[in-house]
Each structure stands twice: as C-alpha cells, then as structure tokens.
Amino acid sequence: MRRVEVEFAPGVRIPFMNRDSALEELQSIAERGTRLPLVIYGPEGCGKTALLRQSMTLLEEYGYRVVLFDMMAGDVRKALSYTPDLQSVIHEALSLLPSPLDAASRLVLTVVRLLVSRLRGERIAVLVDEGFQAVGLERVESFAKSLLDLIEYPPGEYERIVVLVASSEGLSRERLARHAWVEARWLWNMSRGGFRALYGRLPGPKPGFEQAWRVTGGNPRLLARLYMLGWSVEGLRRWIVAVKSLDELVAGLGASDRRLLREALADPDVLASPEAVGLRRLLVERNLVSYIPSIRGREVWLDEPPAERDEELGVGRLYAWQAPVYRDVLASLLSG
C-alpha cells in the first residue's frame, strides 16, 4: 500500500513506518467492516493520529469513501479530511451545522448521517481522532451509542462500514466498559526496532540511540519534541513540567498520595490498589499513566504490545508510565 508522509517536526516529513501488525489487522477490518465502533486506546503521542491517516489511505485502496475527523483541530473545516469526491456531501453537511458549533459530537454525527443517506450501497469509513476528549467525559457514552446506532440502524443502506475512534485519554474506558457498545483495542509506543528506524531517519547530529529510547520509551511525539529542543533532555523535562503543570500536581498531593506516588515510580501496578484510586485518576487525567490489559495477545493489542513487565521503561502488568521521562520528572519533583 502507499505509505503516507507524516510531519514529524517543522521541516521534517517522514513516511509512515513500522506498525506492520496494525496494518495487517486494519486490512482484515477493511475486508469485513466493523460490527461495533472500534476504539483504539494508547498513550498520548504514540502514533494514533499517524495510524489513522495511514488507515485512510489503506481504506481508500479497498474502495471505501473515507472521512477523517481531527477533533482537536479547532476550526471545523480544518478538522475534516475526506475522499475528494465527497466534497459536495461534506459541504452540504457543514451547512446544516449551527454556528458556532455547540457540540463536537454534532459535527461527526451530522456528517456521517448525511454520508450514509447519500452514498447508498457504498463502502463508508469514519475515522475519529481524539473523539472522546473532544466530546467530554459526560457525553462519551451517548456519543459511542450514537456511533453504534449509525452502524446498526443507518439512515440508508451501505455495503460495508468501518468506524474507528482513537483516544489517548483513559477515563472514558471505565464508562464504556459498562456497556457492549464498542470494541476496544490498544496501541502502545513504538517497538524498539521501529523506533530505531524512525530515529535513524532524523537529520543532523544526534546523541546515541539508547538515550533517546531511555527517555521516550519509543514515544514518537516526545522524540519529536526532544529533536526540536536540540536533544536537550533537561529542556524536555522542563517543557513537560510546564505543559502538564506537574509542579502544581505534586505540590497538591497529600502525604498518603506522595507515598503512593513514590511506590508507583518503581512499580506502576501499585496504582491498581483501592487506596490509589484518587492518585490514579490524577495521573490518568494528565496522560502520565495508562491502564494496559494484562492480556498481551493480538485479540487485544492492535500492534506489538509492551513487555509483561519492564522496570527500565516503567511498564507493569496492569499500568504503565506513558513514557519514562514522566516518571523521572515526578521523581525529581518529589525529592526537590
């Protein structure tokens, strides 16, 4: 299949690479469609957006008419990418929306309902990037149910439909687990081999690979930030403290949560304990820690799963630090 180019950093574009297992699974999905909306959970910056963009190309090669919603784009028109011959339908759908837009979910549902009603007998694919973060936690369940209703009770006949939703926030998982409205799959940071290949593509002088791996744990967005900061690990740490307000987070912890945090720095599975519920929520909300299924098989993981345990990278059996640098920053703040 044709590999899309991804803007890795300003002035640096790199072809989509690695994720071969995920692409094989997406090819299988293209051949059968989705019975339920497929939700892809994964760490912030692990490559879900790039995977959706590559999926758009893959699905178009399978004869799908595709619309991709980038829900964090801000501007409605910038949020949409679509198969070129859908332009008139997209414009018609946008004309039906209120201005200003009152709900992110309305954008997706209005466009998709019109697509399904107009494209009778066609293959249709709907890709939503950060959909749950955009609609808000209180509307996650109703949004997921509405997507399922479009599959089960469409306003028009379709040959086959694929609905993919990517999410880096983890709180929606608990709400959706109450129902059987979606199928959840997980995506982790890049494998060591794939990350090495990406690292090798970056221009200019750079430090040794092991340092980049140890800091980012294979997270491509953090690698991009490290590259833009001139490979300054200390600069990356300061940037993380600022954008995630980690100094404020640590300062607001009570004695019990500070103790639990110290323990979780060494073993993130501490966060699975009942006494860690409050701390766990704080860390998940800020995309510092993720729940990871203990099952490491292909029926759960869209691509190569993390190791069963990896002390160096902060991976446990049920919880993992999204990147080692987050753990390092919090350790420094706790001791400071």
Side-chain angles (χ1 to χ4, degrees):
M1 78 189 71
R2 181 176 67 86
R3 297 292 180 120
V4 300
E5 277 202 337
V6 177
E7 185 175 20
F8 177 80
V12 180
R13 296 185 66 82
I14 294 176
F16 182 86
M17 58 198 310
N18 196 231
R19 303 297 191 191
D20 292 341
S21 294
L23 293 178
E24 287 178 9
E25 180 62 20
L26 288 166
Q27 287 176 316
S28 177
I29 289 169
E31 290 169 357
R32 66 177 188 269
T34 52
R35 173 66 183 80
L36 302 171
L38 178 62
V39 179
I40 304 170
Y41 286 111
E44 186 177 45
C46 74
K48 297 183 298 299
T49 297
L51 180 63
L52 285 185
R53 294 202 171 276
Q54 181 62 51
S55 298
M56 182 174 183
T57 294
L58 182 156
L59 288 161
E60 286 178 335
E61 291 177 359
Y62 273 80
Y64 283 81
R65 321 287 271 285
V66 186
V67 58
L68 168 61
F69 300 86
D70 179 357
M71 302 302 287
M72 305 309 291
D75 181 83
V76 170
R77 294 185 182 276
K78 291 181 180 178
L80 291 171
S81 301
Y82 46 85
T83 304
D85 64 2
L86 295 180
Q87 183 171 348
S88 62
V89 180
I90 296 295
H91 285 180
E92 181 181 354
L94 293 180
S95 71
L96 301 175
L97 294 171
S99 181
L101 187 64
D102 57 350
S105 58
R106 188 187 296 273
L107 168 64
V108 177
L109 299 174
T110 299
V111 171
V112 176
R113 284 184 183 122
L114 192 63
L115 280 178
V116 174
S117 65
R118 292 284 190 273
L119 303 178
R120 293 181 178 274
E122 298 279 357
R123 297 181 179 184
I124 300 169
V126 180
L127 316 180
V128 187
D129 194 13
E130 295 297 358
F132 297 151
Q133 186 172 342
V135 303
L137 190 59
E138 295 304 316
R139 294 186 177 182
V140 160
E141 290 163 289
S142 63
F143 180 55
K145 184 60 166 63
S146 294
L147 291 175
L148 175 61
D149 287 345
L150 283 169
I151 295 174
E152 293 187 328
Y153 310 107
E157 295 296 323
Y158 55 76
E159 178 190 343
R160 198 176 300 161
I161 192 166
V162 169
V163 178
L164 306 179
V165 182
S167 179
S168 59
E169 62 78 45
L171 296 179
S172 64
R173 177 187 63 83
E174 297 178 7
R175 297 212 171 195
L176 293 177
R178 306 170 185 173
H179 314 285
W181 295 340
V182 302
E183 177 186 356
R185 301 287 290 274
W186 276 260
L187 189 73
W188 196 243
N189 294 325
M190 296 180 75
S191 67
R192 186 182 181 91
F195 190 72
R196 186 186 290 276
L198 173 62
Y199 180 79
R201 288 265 190 167
L202 301 184
K206 45 187 178 279
F209 168 77
E210 291 300 329
Q211 176 178 295
W213 174 254
R214 170 62 185 77
V215 169
T216 67
N219 187 288
R221 186 178 299 169
L222 287 176
L223 178 65
R225 179 58 58 176
L226 187 60
Y227 169 80
M228 289 187 285
L229 290 168
W231 300 107
S232 169
V233 175
E234 186 56 36
L236 178 65
R237 288 173 175 168
R238 290 196 298 267
W239 177 80
I240 289 169
V241 170
V243 298
K244 291 187 174 288
S245 304
L246 297 189
D247 46 358
E248 177 187 51
L249 172 68
V250 171
L253 295 178
S256 176
D257 280 344
R258 291 175 75 91
R259 174 184 59 80
L260 286 167
L261 179 55
R262 287 192 179 92
E263 293 176 8
L265 295 176
D267 179 7
D269 283 341
V270 166
L271 298 170
S273 67
E275 65 175 330
V277 169
L279 175 63
R280 181 173 72 230
R281 186 179 183 88
L282 286 174
L283 297 176
V284 170
E285 278 181 339
R286 301 205 186 201
N287 279 319
L288 299 169
V289 162
S290 290
Y291 162 78
I292 54 175
S294 59
I295 298 169
R296 299 293 206 260
R298 288 289 299 273
E299 65 272 26
V300 172
W301 291 89
L302 197 60
D303 198 61
E304 186 173 332
E308 182 70 25
R309 291 183 185 275
D310 189 324
E311 291 184 9
E312 181 186 24
L313 300 184
V315 176
R317 181 170 172 271
L318 291 172
Y319 285 90
W321 293 97
Q322 290 194 8
V325 67
Y326 297 152
R327 180 187 58 181
D328 298 343
V329 167
L330 287 170
S332 178
L333 289 171
L334 279 172
S335 62

